Amino acid sequence: MTNIPRICAQNKQHSFLISKEDQLFYDRIAAVFGHKKYTIPVPTLCPDCRQQRRSAFRNERKLYNRRCDLTGKEIISMYSADKPFRVYDQKEWWSDQWDPLQYGRDFDFNRPFFEQFRELQKEVPRVSILNTNSENSEYTNYTANNKNAYLIFSNSYGHNENCYYGTCLSKCTSCLDAINISDCQYCVDVSDCKNCYRLVSSRNCTDCSESYFLSDCKRSKNCIACKGLRDKQYCILNKQYSKGEYFKLMEQLKLYTYTGFSKARNFFDAFDQRTPHISTHQYTCDDSTGDYLENAKKCRSCFDTSDSQDGAYLQYSVNGNYSCFDSSYSGGSTQCYETHSMVSGNHCLFINIAWWGTQNLYYCELCFNNTTDCFGCIGLRHKQYCILNKQYTKEEYEILVPKIIEHMQKSGEWGEFFPMSLSPFAYNETIAQDFFPLKRDQVLQRGIMWKEEQESSKYYGPSIEIADDIGGTPADITNQILSCSSCHRRYKIIVHELRFYQMMNLPLPRQCFDCRHLKRLELRNPRKLWDRTCMKCSTPIQTSYAPDRKEIVYCEKCYQESVY
């Protein structure tokens, strides 16, 4: 068995290899009915384009007001009112007031499968938002177990309290504007941090406290604009000061003003560019490639992945995934392929959102609670042997599914994830736009939805200028409509947000939530690896820093030797 070179069917400029390990995986997860084996064909798209396709099905941060199609009441939903779907509020969707099998239909062998699936999508009700077991946290999505949360998204574990504006937070309290943090308290504008307290505008830190502008620091306290510190205190730009000198210099920086804070951020960014960067972030990993990996074993080209084994092309894969390929936002699953939001599943292929004990599902969407052995279904719970939401006996199911697979093989649909045209969202509503940005015309040329932004003509009053000093900010600013300094969209400062900045003695943000989120994403490297050499010892490395970038990139050994 040899590696197979391919040209991406979506982007002809992308060439990629189907490795021997890939081929063995596709053979291992084949669908078996009776004595016949239905193998998974090798992908036609490169790993990046496969990830883009799945990402186009995930709307995390765009929330709308609309009416529940069952009760008529006003609800918060990830589906705007102009979407051609039935949308039920969470309480009604999870109730027994409706039966997803009432929308079942026969499979038509004269038509493509995806065409029939699209028709089913327009009929079966969709849950307005994915937010379970939370209190006073209505404006959150893909979350669970939160209390007093606002605009918090994609929490695999949840258990956050009094947190606002963030993605992938776990067991945090009173944190704002964050990505990928856990066990943190009173942190703001941070990413990829653990067990930190009162940390500001920092990234890749562990056990740090009462500091500003840190990068890759551990067990450090009362430091400003530092990188690579270990067990340090009272440092500025990696220079040691006495306690008295430190607080005197800190007062001179005037970090409680927007002018002083911005100036400090700028000189930290310049300092960060001059200091070495580690090629990738990996912790207790074995035979794995990718970035932001923890407790990973034999994982290839994986990103933001932890506690996983024998996987490839994973993004945000956590909590014990085993032998999964091409999965985004998955947890606790085994032998799954081309899935988005797959939780506690086994042998599920081509899935958009399936949680809690699902098994042997093919081309299903929004299926939960021990739904098993189903094909092309939407919105099922505790069901088995269904096709296009129609109930069959085990014998009928095992006869009909092979015929459908053979039909899809002829049409070229078998082995491919749902096309982006089947996404229930416009491309620019999804995280695909964050990681694979496209212009409106590019999206429409592909037959994908694009949502035009509707700027209201309503008069909001005169432009409000935010005080430079947080101490001079009036309480009624929470009643004002502000204009983002980057995109000029309207945004607001909520009451809890103002109190937080006052307590932390920090200036208010001048950008809207979306622009702040994108700025933090820009500080993280792309989910892509390049072959380079360490800029100190010339050892070959794989890194998420592209060869044309200006940063100094070291292998792990050289980088660890350079930290303080």
Side-chain angles (χ1 to χ4, degrees):
M1 188 178 291
T2 59
N3 295 338
I4 303 173
R6 297 297 295 262
I7 299 296
C8 178
Q10 179 172 282
N11 190 330
K12 303 298 184 183
Q13 296 179 341
H14 290 181
S15 61
F16 64 104
L17 286 177
I18 307 295
S19 71
K20 292 180 288 186
E21 293 81 6
D22 293 343
Q23 296 171 61
L24 290 172
F25 173 80
Y26 303 139
D27 186 65
R28 188 166 64 247
I29 62 166
V32 178
F33 293 92
H35 299 291
K36 191 163 184 180
K37 182 177 181 179
Y38 294 90
T39 57
I40 304 300
V42 297
T44 61
L45 303 187
C46 67
D48 282 350
C49 288
R50 301 199 301 265
Q51 181 194 162
Q52 178 189 27
R53 182 169 56 182
R54 294 191 302 275
S55 298
F57 284 76
R58 188 179 184 87
N59 171 18
E60 285 183 350
R61 303 192 318 278
K62 303 295 185 183
L63 300 180
Y64 305 94
N65 291 312
R66 62 167 294 158
R67 292 190 180 276
C68 171
D69 286 314
L70 182 65
T71 66
K73 70 178 181 181
E74 286 285 340
I75 61 172
I76 299 161
S77 173
M78 59 178 137
Y79 303 96
S80 57
D82 59 349
K83 295 293 190 299
F85 308 111
R86 288 188 174 95
V87 177
Y88 288 179
D89 190 31
Q90 284 194 101
K91 183 179 178 180
E92 281 71 35
W93 196 90
W94 290 103
S95 73
D96 295 327
Q97 296 183 52
W98 66 285
D99 180 5
L101 295 186
Q102 75 180 76
Y103 303 97
R105 70 274 318 274
D106 293 325
F107 190 87
D108 186 348
F109 287 93
N110 294 313
R111 300 166 60 206
F113 165 75
F114 287 139
E115 182 181 302
Q116 297 176 65
F117 190 82
R118 182 58 166 179
E119 292 174 354
L120 188 65
Q121 283 183 313
K122 293 180 179 180
E123 295 296 326
V124 180
R126 309 182 76 83
V127 61
S128 59
I129 214 162
L130 293 165
N131 171 3
T132 58
N133 195 32
S134 294
E135 178 183 344
N136 190 31
S137 303
E138 293 82 4
Y139 288 89
T140 61
N141 196 16
Y142 288 101
T143 65
N145 310 309
N146 295 310
K147 182 178 180 181
N148 302 330
Y150 178 71
L151 296 183
I152 295 292
F153 308 106
S154 194
N155 304 142
S156 55
Y157 297 103
H159 298 287
N160 302 295
E161 185 169 352
N162 299 325
C163 292
Y164 313 96
Y165 310 113
T167 300
C168 295
L169 279 66
S170 176
K171 296 180 286 186
C172 293
T173 302
S174 299
C175 292
L176 273 70
D177 281 316
I179 294 177
N180 294 354
I181 67 170
S182 62
D183 300 288
C184 292
Q185 296 181 330
Y186 297 98
C187 296
V188 59
D189 187 27
V190 291
S191 60
D192 303 292
C193 293
K194 290 184 177 181
N195 198 34
C196 293
Y197 173 74
R198 293 181 76 99
L199 189 62
V200 179
S201 294
S202 300
R203 51 191 181 267
N204 304 314
C205 292
T206 302
D207 299 316
C208 293
S209 61
E210 301 181 74
S211 299
Y212 305 77
F213 310 114
L214 301 187
S215 176
D216 189 40
C217 293
K218 301 182 187 299
R219 303 174 300 280
S220 297
K221 180 179 180 181
N222 298 118
C223 294
I224 300 173
C226 292
K227 183 174 182 181
L229 298 186
R230 303 293 186 264
D231 303 291
K232 298 293 183 180
Q233 190 171 11
Y234 308 128
C235 295
I236 300 177
L237 291 174
N238 284 30
K239 181 178 179 180
Q240 184 69 62
Y241 292 91
S242 69
K243 179 179 179 180
E245 290 171 331
Y246 172 83
F247 283 107
K248 183 178 180 181
L249 288 170
M250 180 179 175
E251 180 60 29
Q252 292 175 5
L253 290 173
K254 296 182 179 180
L255 298 177
Y256 53 87
T257 68
Y258 185 73
T259 300
F261 192 89
S262 301
K263 186 176 180 180
R265 182 193 291 275
N266 289 337
F267 68 64
F268 168 68
D269 289 343
F271 174 74
D272 183 57
Q273 286 288 318
R274 299 194 303 269
T275 54
H277 293 65
I278 192 168
S279 55
T280 59
H281 302 85
Q282 295 193 25
Y283 310 96
T284 60
C285 295
D286 179 25
D287 192 19
S288 297
T289 60
D291 204 4
Y292 290 103
L293 305 181
E294 184 172 5
N295 299 325
K297 183 178 181 181
K298 295 183 179 179
C299 290
R300 293 182 291 113
S301 297
C302 297
F303 298 86
D304 301 290
T305 291
S306 63
D307 304 307
S308 296
Q309 182 176 338
D310 295 330
Y313 319 117
L314 306 177
Q315 304 85 37
Y316 285 105
S317 175
V318 299
N319 195 27
N321 287 294
Y322 176 77
S323 192
C324 294
F325 277 41
D326 285 285
S327 291
S328 303
Y329 301 88
S330 58
S333 297
T334 302
Q335 291 196 335
C336 293
Y337 174 57
E338 279 279 27
T339 64
H340 161 247
S341 194
M342 183 82 245
V343 179
S344 300
N346 178 48
H347 196 257
C348 293
L349 315 180
F350 319 110
I351 302 297
N352 177 35
I353 308 174
W355 301 351
W356 309 321
T358 57
Q359 183 171 321
N360 297 329
L361 300 185
Y362 307 90
Y363 290 101
C364 289
E365 186 173 62
L366 288 168
C367 289
F368 304 93
N369 302 103
N370 301 309
T371 293
T372 65
D373 303 289
C374 290
F375 197 108
C377 292
I378 302 174
L380 301 188
R381 287 166 282 159
H382 302 288
K383 297 292 189 252
Q384 190 174 22
Y385 305 128
C386 297
I387 301 172
L388 292 179
N389 283 38
K390 182 177 178 179
Q391 183 69 65
Y392 292 89
T393 66
K394 178 182 178 181
E395 293 74 18
E396 291 170 332
Y397 179 84
E398 292 182 346
I399 291 172
L400 184 55
V401 168
K403 294 179 180 179
I404 295 174
I405 293 175
E406 291 167 6
H407 176 77
M408 294 178 67
Q409 287 175 330
K410 294 176 183 177
S411 64
E413 297 170 301
W414 175 247
E416 298 288 343
F417 189 75
F418 302 108
M420 285 190 279
S421 58
L422 289 190
S423 170
F425 307 107
Y427 187 87
N428 57 328
E429 290 179 301
T430 71
I431 63 168
Q433 184 68 352
D434 294 345
F435 295 101
F436 305 93
L438 296 176
K439 296 184 182 300
R440 177 181 179 275
D441 290 346
Q442 293 174 306
V443 170
L444 295 179
Q445 285 172 4
R446 297 186 184 189
I448 311 169
M449 285 191 292
W450 178 273
K451 187 168 178 59
E452 302 293 347
E453 295 202 25
Q454 298 177 348
E455 188 65 43
S456 173
S457 60
K458 180 179 177 181
Y459 175 65
Y460 289 99
S463 177
I464 303 299
E465 190 161 334
I466 304 175
D468 190 55
D469 185 339
I470 185 63
T473 302
D476 68 353
I477 196 169
T478 58
N479 299 324
Q480 307 297 329
I481 303 295
L482 307 177
S483 177
C484 174
S485 61
S486 295
C487 69
H488 308 296
R489 295 189 186 96
R490 307 319 200 245
Y491 75 103
K492 290 194 70 174
I493 300 294
I494 64 174
V495 173
H496 296 294
E497 185 179 6
L498 175 62
R499 291 173 181 168
F500 178 89
Y501 281 101
Q502 290 172 332
M503 182 271 297
M504 295 285 287
N505 201 24
L506 292 170
L508 292 176
R510 267 56 172 181
Q511 292 179 307
C512 68
F513 161 62
D514 280 337
C515 287
R516 301 193 311 260
H517 173 76
L518 292 175
K519 182 65 176 177
R520 283 189 297 279
L521 281 182
E522 289 172 2
L523 293 173
R524 305 182 87 239
N525 284 358
R527 296 169 176 170
K528 190 175 179 65
L529 296 174
W530 286 268
D531 291 321
R532 292 181 57 172
T533 56
C534 172
M535 297 175 71
K536 184 177 182 181
C537 72
S538 299
T539 296
I541 56 175
Q542 277 196 322
T543 176
S544 54
Y545 289 92
D548 59 351
R549 289 182 54 165
K550 298 178 180 179
E551 292 92 346
I552 302 168
V553 182
Y554 284 0
C555 68
E556 182 177 6
K557 180 177 181 294
C558 291
Y559 179 81
Q560 296 301 338
E561 291 173 352
S562 74
V563 299
Y564 291 74

